[in-house]
Each structure stands twice: as C-alpha cells, then as structure tokens.
Amino acid sequence: MRATLNEDMAGRFAGIALGHVTREYPNKLTHGLAGPEDARTPSALHPVFYGSFDWHSCVHAYWMLAHLLRRFPDMAPASAVRDLFDRQLTPEKIAGECAYLAQPTARGFERPYGWAWLLKLAAELKGLPDMPWSEHLAPLAEVFVQRFRDFLPKATYPVRVGTHFNTAFGLRLAADYAEATEDAAFLALLRETAGRWYGNDEDCPAWGEPSGDDFLSPALIEAECMRRLLPPEQFAYWFDRFLPRLATAQPMPLFRPAEVSDRSDGKIAHLDGLNLSRAWCWRALARALPAEDPRRVLMDRVADLHLTAGLPHVAGDYMGEHWLASFAVLALEAGEA
C-alpha cells in the first residue's frame, strides 16, 4: 500500500522538528572568520536558524513545519509551530540573518543547498497568506535569489555529487520559489541553466551510486530537476534518453536501497536520507509519465521499497533526527511538496 502523509504522522514529524530547531548544541558551523571578533556562538551569528545542528537543516525544518501547518492546520502541535514562527520569523531577526550574509566571508555560504532550502521555505510561507511570516522572510529570500542570479551565469559546470553541493537539487527547489512568486525571469534563468548543464546527458550509468555519504542520487535528482523545469513533452524526450533501460530495472544501483551500518555516524546516516530522497524522486518522476506507461508500476514499487527502508529511521539518533523528517515529507508528498 502506498504510504501517505496523515495528520498523526504530521504531528509526530512536527514534534521532532520543534525539539531541535531551537536546540543550539551540538552544532556544526559553516563560518568564515576574518578576525577573532568573528568567533561567536551559533545564535549570535544566526538569530533565526541557529538550531538543528547546522544552518541548512534548521532552514528545512522550518520548511517542513510550514508545510505541515498548511496541510494540517489542526494538527496537535499547530499552535506551537505558530508560536515559534511568531517569535523567530520577525523583521529584526531576519535582518540579522541578512547582515551575516553581507559579510565578505559569507559570499559562498551554503551554496547552493542552503540557498535552495531558504527559497523553498519562502515559497511554502506564501501558502499561509493570513500570516506575516512570508513578508518578514522576503528580504532574506531576495538575497539568495540575487546570489543565484549572480552565480548561475558564471557556473560553467554542474556539481554532480550526492551531497549538499549538488546543483540539480539547488535548481529543483529554487524553481518552486520562482513559480510561487511568479518571477518569470528567475524561472527562465533556472531553465536555461538546467538545459545548459544537463540537456545533452544520455544513458546515465549510475555506476558510482551510492557513495558512502550520499543523501541524494546524482542521477535521480538530475532527472527530477529536469522534470520540474522542462515542458512535459521535452522532459519525456529527455528522460527516455537519460534512462533508456529503466523498463528493465537498469541501471541496477538506482533500484536497490542503500544499507546503513551506523546511524550514529553523521556521514553514514546520510544514506537513510538517500533512501528517502530516492523515494521522492521516483514518485515524482512516475507521476510525469502517462498513466498507461508500464514503467510507472516499477517506479512506484521501487519508490515504496526505498521509503520502507528509510521511514523507520527518521527519529532515534540525533545525527539523522535533526534532518531526516524533512526528506520523509518530500517523499510522502511527492507531487504536493
């Protein structure tokens, strides 16, 4: 049976996130120091996104909370989520986040993963129009849009790893923001970049998947990026060339869930996220095919296989608990999130 997100599960995931978005330690900073005065605590550096072990995980936990609040406004932790957003998503605190990014040492901060998640959060808050949070976050979102505008034209090559630096993931999430804000020029830039980077890719071997700390499939997130940015007829042609042996379950590495040997090891625990992100991609890609396409059955089956492997491990050890629920929601809400 296809697993779907329900209110009880949403409440459990929200409770997990509420337990870590304001948990300052342990913390892994991505921070450049120009002098000794820059040696400050996470909350002093980042007034909003100082929890969840690292900045980007805190951002996508906020995205998940916003998404769950929109989908299930009466879930048990809804009032706690609203209180959190009222306390944290204020103009003053957002200005503090913007001030951090204005420092010369922060030029490449969180590129492109954190950039994309911040825009994904901004897009989600657009779906809560009766609250002021979207307006408050807007100046920070614009900083990252401008960073995309500045960076993409000079990025000659994509980054195809299965971790935070993957550029297909960045484009995929940024597209949601461009659409939510009706920013046609930004969306056109994302489409042009995707075509330039990935448009001629054929017969993806996926022989290097997974690497030992992947939480993204370089092959599948590229396909999901192109699904999101190409017109349907162009995507169908591209997808048939990119994975021409999909109907025979090839390349095999994409169809076999990753094994996780030690969930207390932050890098190895990434592989639980890989199973969840693959489930997201497989489900979304299957929806892009005609209903009668026999590949859909296979893709949905392998998506469920990966989801079954990853979903039980959303909570347990903090190395996974501080971020995995967001990817579970992506997988469970493929086509919605």
Side-chain angles (χ1 to χ4, degrees), residues 198-217:
Y198 308 118
N200 293 323
D201 289 357
E202 297 183 9
D203 198 7
C204 178
W207 58 263
E209 297 194 33
S211 292
D213 66 349
D214 282 355
F215 62 88
L216 297 169
S217 161

Side-chain angles (χ1 to χ4, degrees), residues 84 168 200 228 231 298:
L84 171 74
N200 293 323
R228 185 66 179 83
L298 173 62

Side-chain angles (χ1 to χ4, degrees), residues 186 215 297:
F186 185 38
F215 62 88
V297 175

Side-chain angles (χ1 to χ4, degrees), residues 85-169:
F85 286 6
D86 283 341
R87 292 194 314 272
Q88 291 296 100
L89 300 181
T90 66
E92 295 76 18
K93 290 185 177 182
I94 296 301
E97 295 282 350
C98 292
Y100 179 85
L101 294 170
Q103 301 174 81
T105 52
R107 178 181 178 185
F109 177 75
E110 292 285 352
R111 184 177 75 197
Y113 186 75
W115 298 9
W117 271 118
L118 191 285
L119 295 186
K120 180 75 166 168
L121 168 60
E124 193 66 49
L125 291 175
K126 288 276 186 186
L128 298 167
D130 295 333
M131 307 305 295
W133 309 316
S134 175
E135 181 180 351
H136 293 173
L137 190 69
L140 185 58
E142 183 52 36
V143 170
F144 285 115
V145 170
Q146 190 58 50
R147 293 200 170 185
F148 271 112
R149 293 187 188 116
D150 293 339
F151 173 67
L152 294 181
K154 62 185 178 185
T156 306
Y157 308 106
V159 180
R160 300 176 183 271
V161 298
T163 54
H164 309 86
F165 307 103
N166 184 285
T167 46
F169 183 87

Side-chain angles (χ1 to χ4, degrees), residues 21-22 56 75 96-97 100 124 126 156 162 169 192 211 214 222 235 243 264 309 318:
V21 291
T22 57
H56 53 253
M75 65 178 178
E97 295 282 350
Y100 179 85
E124 193 66 49
K126 288 276 186 186
T156 306
F169 183 87
E192 183 278 326
S211 292
D214 282 355
E222 177 179 336
F235 171 72
L243 292 175
S264 68
Y318 196 58

